[in-house]
Amino acid sequence: MLQMRPTCERCDRDLPPTAQDAWICSFECTWCADCAASVLAGRCPNCGGRLSPRPPRDEERPPSTPVSTGGVVDPDRRP
């Protein structure tokens, strides 16, 4: 089971599960709206796929579906 990533993989911005401005590719690489629109131009640098808005998770989620506590950040892509 994949867990929602809590930060932008480029700038490390916090993107909690309820965030309205998180973007993902089909592999669920996670980006903030600013990075997705500007630097990445709507394409995932990992797979080349199109980025789409990540649906926010309801605040009252079942305990069997935890969110990830660790982010994935590539220091070579940081601003």
Side-chain angles (χ1 to χ4, degrees), residues 9-36:
E9 293 183 36
R10 182 173 181 277
C11 70
D12 204 27
R13 178 178 169 188
D14 287 340
L15 295 169
T18 57
Q20 300 285 326
D21 59 346
W23 288 70
I24 59 173
C25 69
S26 64
F27 290 97
E28 298 189 27
C29 299
T30 305
W31 317 96
C32 70
D34 291 338
C35 289

Side-chain angles (χ1 to χ4, degrees), residues 11-78:
C11 70
D12 204 27
R13 178 178 169 188
D14 287 340
L15 295 169
T18 57
Q20 300 285 326
D21 59 346
W23 288 70
I24 59 173
C25 69
S26 64
F27 290 97
E28 298 189 27
C29 299
T30 305
W31 317 96
C32 70
D34 291 338
C35 289
S38 62
V39 177
L40 303 177
R43 290 282 172 188
C44 177
N46 299 330
C47 69
R50 183 175 53 90
L51 299 178
S52 299
R54 181 183 78 183
R57 189 174 283 181
D58 292 336
E59 288 189 40
E60 295 182 21
R61 65 185 173 276
S64 62
T65 57
V67 297
S68 178
T69 57
V72 176
V73 177
D74 183 345
D76 293 333
R77 290 200 185 107
R78 288 192 93 163

